[in-house]
Amino acid sequence: MSSKKVTNICCLGAGYVGGPTMAVIAQKCPHIKVNVIDLNKERIALWNESDLGKLPIYEPGLDDVVSEARGRNLFFSTDIERHILEADMIFISVNTPTKTYGVGRGMASDLKYVELCARQIASIATSDKIIVEKSTLPVRTAEAIKTILDATGKEGVRFQVLSNPEFLAEGTAIEDLHFPDRVLIGGEEDQDGQNAIQALVEIYANWVSRERIVTTRVWSSELSKLTANAFLAQRVSSINAISALCEKTGADVKEVAYAIGQDSRIGSKFLKASVGFGGSCFQKDILNLVYLCRHFNLPEVADYWQQVVKINDYQKERFAKNIISTLFNTISDKKIAFLGWAFKKDTNDTRESAAIYVADELLQDGGIIHVYDPKVSADQIHSDLEYLQRNRIEKSNDKLAFTIEDIKKRVFVHDSPYNALTNAHAIAILTEWDEFKTYDWINIYNKMIKPAFVFDGRDMVSKKEMEKIGFKVYSIGK
Ligand code: NAD
Ligand code: UGA
């Protein structure tokens, strides 16, 4: 394969990664035509909405990037055949959730969407293509993709498979894409592989300095992505573990995090104790890593990483159980107001959000939940809870399962925080939306049932100030 200059890119998957990543490539490379494809027609229609407030994902700064490039060299479409045919380079950016069935259920990544992409590309392509794994995948998936492409592709058509994992975080995706710490590209060591790597390097070099573009072997690149997420999540679980000890000993986790973070070998990032990490990736990627370790007969290594997820589950459960025990051991028919539902601020993504698990525990105890989140819809909140219930029925453990009708009778979603908080017995802060810091807490206190409890899962309010107003406050790690 020669090192042809790329002028046409296609991306399969217009989600939280495919959408923003391709929008930024199109913005920074006006000479390249970028087509983003999805099977989901509604999602594509929203990406094509003239009202930029209706884009399918909320991400600060995304609307500006999309408005600059869309219609110029950025296009969203469902026409998979045409765009695969035209593309020099095809990114696979589809979802890779944890498997919910069969071998590896609950642990391994479900690669069915990735495999389908490989089969679609092979059956359509009539010219050589560079395939780029953008999705997060288990180490050695590139090999499997290449096998499918070579076995089912048309005669004479050659494929190179690169690994180019994405490190953006939601809420800061555009900033992360504009100024990445590094771009990682893994490829084959032979000349064709190196040419393919170079073609992708040239795209990123339009806005990322070359020292920040790291090239490796393909398997190192795949494994680096899982490892990066495992290390980040491990830091959160480590500080959350210490938060429990702080609560028993009178130490303050914020002070401990600051003190250790000043050591340049430790560093200050990802040391914020919380109600538990959420998001679509940390848990999924660690479980995948654990699965791989078990597959390669490394039980000690598997157990080590599994503990990161266990501590996260412990932290969510501890938070919920503390609400119940503090409210005199029963929350039956008590109104608990949730501030925040998204898994972090500045995103409308709720996947694996701690709020879902805390709500579920409280529902088991008969609580009535009133939620306010500035970016998450009522439908999303109800369906998150229903999804958890469905999983529970599949696992058939002994907890109660609610129907969607039951959930709607017990979980109310508000457009205004004050409606959610009025007459509440307790407030639980689950997401760190900046606006929560600006609320009129005296007014809120006056509207609540006394004693008025606040359970701060995100270190959003000053315990001292709130106690002065009259609140009874629980803050993680204090
Ligand atoms: P997502 O669910 O938001 O988007 C995936 C999209 O792919 C969906 O819209 C789905 O309809 C589409 N799709 C599935 N099969 C398809 C096919 N054959 N052809 C065309 N479209 C298809 O997922 P996401 O959050 O964007 O994550 C995608 C991948 O990126 C995952 O592997 C994830 O681990 C990884 N990742 C995610 C993030 C993040 O912040 N969300 C960050 C880094 C890496
Ligand atoms: C994470 C990684 O940060 C990205 O590099 C990676 O690309 C992405 O996963 C992925 O592969 O999907 P993301 O999940 O979007 O990004 O957001 P983070 O900022 O990492 O936060 C994850 C969770 O950890 C959130 O619930 C957040 O509130 C929590 N967190 C984070 C803490 O509780 N404390 C911290 O100090 C940091």
Side-chain angles (χ1 to χ4, degrees):
M1 224 183 225
S2 62
S3 52
K4 190 183 153 215
K5 206 164 182 319
V6 173
T7 58
N8 190 309
I9 287 177
C10 165
C11 174
L12 302 180
Y16 283 88
V17 169
T21 311
M22 292 303 125
V24 167
I25 291 183
Q27 181 196 30
K28 300 291 184 184
C29 309
H31 55 287
I32 299 178
K33 193 171 171 191
V34 180
N35 293 295
V36 194
I37 315 299
D38 207 291
L39 298 173
N40 182 333
K41 289 195 183 85
E42 291 91 60
R43 210 166 205 185
I44 289 297
L46 290 172
W47 278 112
N48 284 320
E49 258 286 341
S50 49
D51 176 358
L52 291 167
K54 291 193 177 144
L55 292 180
I57 64 176
Y58 171 71
E59 199 51 71
L62 175 64
D63 46 357
D64 290 341
V65 179
V66 170
S67 83
E68 187 182 331
R70 198 176 58 186
R72 178 188 72 185
N73 64 327
L74 174 66
F75 303 91
F76 294 92
S77 159
T78 51
D79 188 350
I80 189 160
E81 181 146 358
R82 179 173 146 212
H83 296 300
I84 286 181
L85 276 173
E86 287 176 357
D88 309 307
M89 183 176 268
I90 302 169
F91 286 76
I92 298 179
S93 191
V94 300
N95 34 331
T96 50
T98 303
K99 250 183 120 177
T100 52
Y101 55 89
V103 177
R105 176 185 169 173
M107 297 297 291
S109 279
D110 191 344
L111 299 182
K112 69 179 174 197
Y113 305 104
V114 173
E115 181 176 339
L116 178 64
C117 289
R119 291 187 186 277
Q120 281 171 313
I121 295 167
S123 72
I124 296 169
T126 54
S127 59
D128 295 354
K129 312 278 178 205
I130 298 171
I131 312 302
V132 183
E133 294 177 345
K134 188 49 111 179
S135 297
T136 302
L137 296 166
V139 56
R140 299 194 82 133
T141 306
E143 195 180 30
I145 292 178
K146 181 93 167 77
T147 306
I148 294 171
L149 291 168
D150 289 345
T152 59
K154 296 194 171 38
E155 209 174 318
V157 177
R158 290 177 310 156
F159 298 99
Q160 273 296 319
V161 181
L162 299 177
S163 159
N164 172 222
E166 184 48 60
F167 295 100
L168 68 78
E170 288 177 29
T172 54
I174 299 302
E175 171 95 5
D176 296 341
L177 288 164
H178 281 164
F179 308 103
D181 285 345
R182 76 331 207 157
V183 166
L184 178 58
I185 304 173
E188 297 290 335
E189 286 168 273
D190 61 11
Q191 194 53 50
D192 285 348
Q194 294 303 306
N195 288 344
I197 289 179
Q198 210 41 46
L200 187 52
V201 167
E202 291 310 319
I203 293 171
Y204 283 108
N206 284 291
W207 78 97
V208 180
S209 67
R210 285 178 193 267
E211 312 85 75
R212 285 186 189 265
I213 306 178
V214 178
T215 60
T216 64
R217 293 167 202 205
V218 68
W219 299 334
S220 308
S221 171
E222 288 176 330
L223 188 54
S224 300
K225 172 63 195 176
L226 292 184
T227 308
N229 273 358
F231 270 59
L232 290 169
Q234 179 204 46
R235 283 176 70 95
V236 179
S237 276
S238 296
I239 200 70
N240 280 345
I242 296 299
S243 75
L245 186 58
C246 285
E247 288 166 30
K248 296 282 182 205
T249 56
D252 179 332
V253 76
K254 201 170 170 181
E255 290 176 350
V256 174
Y258 180 76
I260 64 166
Q262 289 305 101
D263 184 329
S264 60
R265 294 168 303 172
I266 296 174
S268 61
K269 292 182 181 166
F270 270 73
L271 287 183
K272 199 158 190 314
S274 68
V275 55
F277 61 73
S280 63
C281 294
F282 276 180
Q283 175 171 300
K284 153 178 92 69
D285 292 348
I286 294 177
L287 293 177
N288 186 6
L289 191 65
V290 170
Y291 182 74
L292 280 171
C293 294
R294 296 215 192 282
H295 173 80
F296 289 109
N297 197 22
L298 299 168
E300 290 80 3
V301 185
D303 291 348
Y304 175 76
W305 288 110
Q306 178 106 45
Q307 198 60 27
V308 173
V309 175
K310 277 197 188 159
I311 287 289
N312 198 48
D313 290 341
Y314 164 75
Q315 189 76 347
K316 292 181 280 190
E317 197 174 329
R318 198 166 81 79
F319 187 82
K321 294 240 158 89
N322 183 40
I323 296 179
I324 299 168
S325 63
T326 309
L327 291 180
F328 316 108
N329 248 345
T330 173
I331 54 163
S332 179
D333 292 330
K334 288 182 182 166
K335 175 174 176 178
I336 315 290
F338 273 31
L339 287 179
W341 189 266
F343 81 96
K344 62 185 283 197
K345 73 172 180 177
D346 292 340
T347 178
N348 60 345
D349 195 348
T350 63
R351 290 176 287 181
E352 291 299 330
S353 179
I356 305 170
Y357 292 89
V358 174
D360 185 60
E361 282 287 340
L362 301 186
L363 287 174
Q364 298 294 322
D365 213 79
I368 308 281
I369 296 171
H370 288 250
V371 186
Y372 168 73
D373 185 292
K375 290 287 172 196
V376 182
S377 68
D379 282 352
Q380 185 63 52
I381 291 170
H382 291 140
S383 83
D384 285 341
L385 285 165
E386 197 206 6
Y387 181 77
L388 193 70
Q389 302 292 320
R390 242 186 293 126
N391 268 350
R392 165 160 315 137
I393 294 165
E394 278 168 21
K395 284 185 192 148
S396 66
N397 67 20
D398 57 357
K399 287 190 175 175
L400 278 177
F402 297 102
T403 63
I404 188 84
E405 285 72 33
D406 297 331
I407 291 168
K408 284 182 182 165
K409 279 185 212 148
R410 305 195 79 83
V411 180
F412 301 89
V413 182
H414 300 267
D415 292 337
S416 139
Y418 294 94
N419 289 347
L421 300 165
T422 301
N423 287 331
H425 290 81
I427 296 171
I429 306 178
L430 278 314
T431 313
E432 73 280 24
W433 287 102
D434 290 333
E435 66 172 73
F436 299 161
K437 289 196 166 162
T438 66
Y439 287 177
D440 178 351
W441 287 102
I442 296 176
N443 185 14
I444 291 171
Y445 176 77
N446 291 334
K447 290 186 165 152
M448 284 178 67
I449 297 199
K450 310 296 177 314
F453 292 96
V454 171
F455 298 88
D456 185 358
R458 294 288 188 170
D459 188 31
M460 289 298 284
V461 293
S462 154
K463 193 169 191 282
K464 215 162 136 199
E465 295 300 315
M466 295 288 276
E467 281 172 352
K468 253 196 244 158
I469 296 172
F471 285 105
K472 303 246 174 266
V473 184
Y474 161 79
S475 294
I476 283 182
K478 289 183 205 275

